[in-house]
């Protein structure tokens, strides 16, 4: 097989870049469909992520486990698939040529870029600011936390939510730019439902964990690429098996600062020398100080920056003509094609550039990385075979199943009334400490839902959203807990 040759120039039919969920799913799919063609998976990280225990929960909801495995596992399964651990240095798209850090050059027919994304750090190269992305950075966080009394967490997405919930023995100052926590996933009502969980003592948080478990290779092999920056993104339960404990004996609580962002971060020396109009000695002596846009200043051991991600596009851009989206992702069409011929992209690195279904939106999540990787492989295959292909059904309805604060969370469609303006109404049912159910209706039809807790409503609501039945005549009865809604619509 050409891929195996020691020569530094290789002809390969399919090259996939990235050993995360998108890249591995794409490589597996294409390697099984084109068993007599060479497939190369080039990745910066020594371990690859594979999907196991895949379960289709309903028409669009899916659950799976993710395991980090040595690349040999893939090569044993697909004899035509070669995994090469080396980061891509350069792409010359017009020449269909890719160069890796290890000196090898690949001439491909079809290329799929699945290089993920990296944390958008508040500031670069500040030793007091940490981003969490891969296993390495999670371990660095754990190490720093074990010596910390107070940390400041910036950001309001899934990572920040999990982090403030999991950290114990350390005071957490959590600065969110919105009026409510978890704005990416929830509205203020859901946030209000979840907040008491932050106050419950760790020992009492014993609800069973139902979410997909994330496992890493037990050998503890090096986790990220040579540059130390290119490991694949963690996913659900990234904190499993990592004790997130500070120096304090008791849980030290979470203090939330709403509607603010970071104005400035000072080192201890900068702070002490600053002309700030504040009683410095009252704030205590800390390694770093964070000034928020609401004027408040907090001393802390370090800052966790969890303010979103930036697609890893750098090595691919120079000399090429990629169309980038507003979020800097590689813009792809409904066949996962970038603007460069024969170059596809999937997962966190890409931005969906097609006109989306009224009930779907892109979010950089594990499920979408798998779906896009799989669909990109099918599109590459269809193009090679000159067969037509339609946008996959998984892009019809946004659906995500996860766990926040130990509650099962299901998000469907326009769960936060995204893009609906005033043109919607909400129905909410909430039982404190048990469940929070919200449906989004527009013109009497259900377009989204948030289900927190064991509501057992996901399949019924998914159907109601997909079939766009007019629900006007049911009114609030729709959420009447005394009615078995499944029977209602049978
Ligand atoms: P990645 O998994 O990032 O993989 C990218 C791959 O590309 C890596 O193997 C990397 O080594 C490789 N690479 C990068 N640059 C190069 C290069 N130049 N050359 C060669 N290889 C390269 N999602 C959820 O659905 N639920 C969650 O609860 C959740 N929690 C998260 C918690 C954390 C802390 C983080 C960071 C993310 C979380 N996510 C979650 C998001 C989820 O992990 C990502 O959306 C998903 O992993 C993206 O997969 P991907 O394959 O596109 O990219």
């Amino acid at each position: 097989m050409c891929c195996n040759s020691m020569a530094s120039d290789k002809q390969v039919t399919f090259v996939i870049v990235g050993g995360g969920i998108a890249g591995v799913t794409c490589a597996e799919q294409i390697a099984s469909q084109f068993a007599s063609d060479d497939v190369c998976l080039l990745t910066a990280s020594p371990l690859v992520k594979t999907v196991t225990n895949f379960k289709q929960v309903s028409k669009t909801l899916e659950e799976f486990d993710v395991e980090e495995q040595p690349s040999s596992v893939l090569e044993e399964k697909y004899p035509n698939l070669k995994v090469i651990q080396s980061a891509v240095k350069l792409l010359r798209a017009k020449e269909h040529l890719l160069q890796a850090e290890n000196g090898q050059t690949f001439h491909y027919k079809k290329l799929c870029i699945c290089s993920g994304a990296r944390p958008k750090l508040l500031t670069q190269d500040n030793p007091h600011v940490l981003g969490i992305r891969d296993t390495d950075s999670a371990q660095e966080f754990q190490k720093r936390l074990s010596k910390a009394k107070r940390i400041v967490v910036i950001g309001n997405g899934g990572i920040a939510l999990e982090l403030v919930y999991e950290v114990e023995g350390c005071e957490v100052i959590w600065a969110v730019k919105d009026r409510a926590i978890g704005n990416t996933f929830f509205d203020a009502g859901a946030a209000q439902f979840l907040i008491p969980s932050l106050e419950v003592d760790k020992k009492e948080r014993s609800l069973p964990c139902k979410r997909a478990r994330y496992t890493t290779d037990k050998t503890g092999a090096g986790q990220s690429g040579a540059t130390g920056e290119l490991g694949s993104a963690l996913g659900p339960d990234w904190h499993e098996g990592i004790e997130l404990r500070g120096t304090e004996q008791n849980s030290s609580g979470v203090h939330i600062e709403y509607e603010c962002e970071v104005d400035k971060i000072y080192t201890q020396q900068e702070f002490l020398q600053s002309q700030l109009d504040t009683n410095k000695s009252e704030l205590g002596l800390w390694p770093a100080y964070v000034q928020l846009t609401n004027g408040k200043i907090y001393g802390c051991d370090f800052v966790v920056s969890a303010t979103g991600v930036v697609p890893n596009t750098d090595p691919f851009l120079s000399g090429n003509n990629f169309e980038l989206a507003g979020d800097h992702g590689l813009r792809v069409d409904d066949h996962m094609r970038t603007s460069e011929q024969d170059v596809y992209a999937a997962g966190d690195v890409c931005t969906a550039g097609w006109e989306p279904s009224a009930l779907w939106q892109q979010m950089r999540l594990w499920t979408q990385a798998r779906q896009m990787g799989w669909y990109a492989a099918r599109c590459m295959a269809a193009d090679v075979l000159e067969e037509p292909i339609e946008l996959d059904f998984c892009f019809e309805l946004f659906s995500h199943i996860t766990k926040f604060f130990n509650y099962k969370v299901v998000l469907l469609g326009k769960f936060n009334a995204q893009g609906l303006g005033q043109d919607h109404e909400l129905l909410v049912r909430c039982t404190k400490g048990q469940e929070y159910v919200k449906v989004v209706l527009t013109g009497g039809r259900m377009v989204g839902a948030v289900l927190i807790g064991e509501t057992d409503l996901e399949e019924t609501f998914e159907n109601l959203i997909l079939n766009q039945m007019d629900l006007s005549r049911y009114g609030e009865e729709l959420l009447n807990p005394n009615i078995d809604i499944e029977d209602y619509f049978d």
Side-chain angles (χ1 to χ4, degrees):
M1 197 170 88
C2 320
C3 265
N4 276 329
S5 118
M6 289 306 288
S8 63
D9 255 37
K10 309 195 181 307
Q11 304 282 342
V12 193
T13 316
F14 299 102
V15 174
I16 289 108
V17 178
I21 286 301
V24 171
T25 309
C26 180
E28 286 193 281
Q29 173 68 21
I30 208 89
S32 66
Q33 193 171 345
F34 291 86
S36 49
D37 281 290
D38 299 329
V39 181
C40 271
L41 178 65
L42 259 164
T43 178
S45 44
L47 299 170
V48 293
K49 288 200 169 159
T50 56
V51 170
T52 56
N53 302 324
F54 179 81
K55 193 172 132 210
Q56 194 75 45
V57 180
S58 63
K59 285 195 189 83
T60 59
L61 278 167
E62 49 188 53
E63 266 185 316
F64 51 85
D65 294 341
V66 173
E67 284 179 30
E68 271 191 327
Q69 292 184 328
S71 52
S72 54
V73 172
L74 281 182
E75 293 179 335
E76 278 155 26
K77 209 161 149 197
Y78 306 96
N80 58 330
L81 173 60
K82 176 82 187 145
V83 184
I84 293 165
Q85 195 215 315
S86 183
V88 169
K89 197 167 75 177
L90 177 88
L91 168 67
R92 292 221 291 266
K94 299 277 172 295
E95 295 159 57
H96 287 53
L97 178 155
L98 197 70
Q99 234 172 47
E101 300 258 353
N102 70 0
Q104 286 183 312
T105 300
F106 300 85
H107 299 269
Y108 60 84
K109 278 199 182 132
K110 300 272 177 203
L111 166 69
C112 188
I113 301 175
C114 307
S115 50
R118 61 181 187 279
K120 204 191 287 168
L121 283 186
L122 282 167
T123 53
Q124 295 297 327
D125 303 322
N126 183 331
H128 297 297
V129 179
L130 261 184
I132 298 180
R133 175 77 193 151
D134 51 17
T135 322
D136 262 5
S137 54
Q139 280 166 356
E140 172 66 15
F141 170 63
Q142 180 196 27
K143 203 170 97 199
R144 304 262 300 258
L145 184 67
S146 67
K147 298 187 205 123
K149 285 197 177 70
R150 185 197 283 165
I151 60 171
V152 174
V153 177
I154 314 288
N156 204 10
I159 297 172
L161 268 175
E162 300 230 344
L163 196 113
V164 295
Y165 181 71
E166 290 299 328
V167 166
E168 50 183 332
C170 179
E171 190 183 351
V172 178
I173 309 292
W174 185 13
V176 298
K177 66 176 183 335
D178 315 290
R179 273 197 206 166
I181 61 162
N183 198 50
T184 324
F185 293 101
F186 307 121
D187 60 358
Q192 221 42 49
F193 171 83
L194 288 171
I195 283 217
S197 306
L198 285 176
E199 285 142 22
V200 175
D201 198 280
K202 276 275 138 95
K203 292 173 209 76
E204 292 169 33
R205 298 176 183 174
S206 55
L207 289 171
C209 169
K210 289 233 167 107
R211 198 176 58 187
R213 174 83 26 113
Y214 168 81
T215 52
T216 53
D217 178 68
K218 304 280 186 301
T219 62
Q223 311 282 315
S224 63
T227 61
E229 286 178 354
L230 297 170
S232 31
L234 296 170
D237 294 335
W238 58 273
H239 43 74
E240 280 284 325
I242 303 182
E243 196 192 36
L244 297 181
R245 172 167 271 290
T247 56
E248 307 291 286
Q249 275 307 305
N250 302 316
S251 275
S252 305
V254 179
H255 172 78
I256 308 172
E257 289 285 347
Y258 292 100
E259 294 186 90
C260 65
E261 291 178 64
V262 170
D263 195 7
K264 198 166 174 190
I265 299 173
Y266 298 87
T267 62
Q268 190 183 82
Q269 203 187 4
E270 282 166 350
F271 177 71
L272 294 175
Q273 289 170 355
S274 72
Q275 305 295 315
L276 282 164
D277 182 22
T278 181
N279 186 340
K280 289 182 184 154
S281 58
E282 241 177 40
L283 295 178
L285 208 55
W286 295 93
Y289 294 82
V290 179
Q291 184 173 20
L292 301 173
T293 45
N294 63 8
K296 293 190 188 166
I297 300 176
Y298 287 98
C300 62
D301 289 282
F302 63 93
V303 181
V304 183
S305 168
T307 47
V309 293
V310 196
N312 280 326
T313 54
D314 289 356
F316 309 101
L317 300 184
S318 170
N320 299 313
N321 205 5
F322 282 108
E323 197 184 322
L324 295 184
D327 61 6
H328 303 289
L330 298 175
R331 187 185 284 278
V332 289
D333 67 8
D334 57 357
H335 282 184
M336 306 307 286
R337 289 179 296 222
T338 66
S339 50
E340 283 288 3
Q341 201 172 0
D342 296 321
V343 183
Y344 299 69
D348 279 8
V349 73
C350 80
T351 304
W354 63 84
E355 188 55 48
S357 127
L359 302 167
W360 186 85
Q361 61 271 333
Q362 181 179 8
M363 285 183 84
R364 290 190 162 85
L365 295 167
W366 227 340
T367 359
Q368 291 197 354
R370 194 201 70 78
Q371 292 168 339
M372 286 180 167
W374 181 79
Y375 177 60
R378 290 189 47 234
C379 289
M380 283 156 81
D383 281 355
V384 168
L385 302 170
E386 295 180 19
E387 287 171 358
I389 182 163
E390 275 187 27
L391 189 64
D392 194 83
F393 180 69
C394 66
F395 301 109
E396 267 308 301
L397 172 65
F398 173 88
S399 58
H400 185 54
I401 190 162
T402 187
K403 200 187 65 169
F404 284 122
F405 297 6
N406 242 336
Y407 287 101
K408 175 175 165 183
V409 174
V410 175
L411 305 172
L412 293 170
K414 299 285 171 186
F415 58 89
N416 244 351
Q418 295 95 325
L420 297 179
Q422 297 301 312
D423 180 27
H424 68 276
E425 65 176 311
L426 302 177
L427 291 180
V428 177
R429 169 174 110 196
C430 180
T431 313
K432 205 171 168 217
Q434 210 180 324
E435 60 162 26
Y436 176 90
V437 177
K438 179 186 84 175
V439 297
V440 184
L441 298 154
T442 176
R445 288 160 221 279
M446 197 184 291
V447 290
V450 174
L451 309 173
I452 306 179
E454 296 298 327
T455 65
D456 218 15
L457 289 169
E458 51 269 32
E459 232 178 314
T460 312
F461 282 7
E462 180 190 52
N463 281 331
L464 291 177
I465 296 175
L466 282 171
N467 68 25
Q468 286 294 287
M469 183 175 160
D470 187 352
L471 302 166
S472 323
R473 64 197 166 108
Y474 300 101
E476 288 178 11
E477 284 295 282
L478 208 55
L479 293 190
N480 184 340
N482 302 317
I483 291 175
D484 193 343
I485 193 163
E486 270 176 74
D487 297 345
Y488 220 51
F489 292 104
D490 267 350

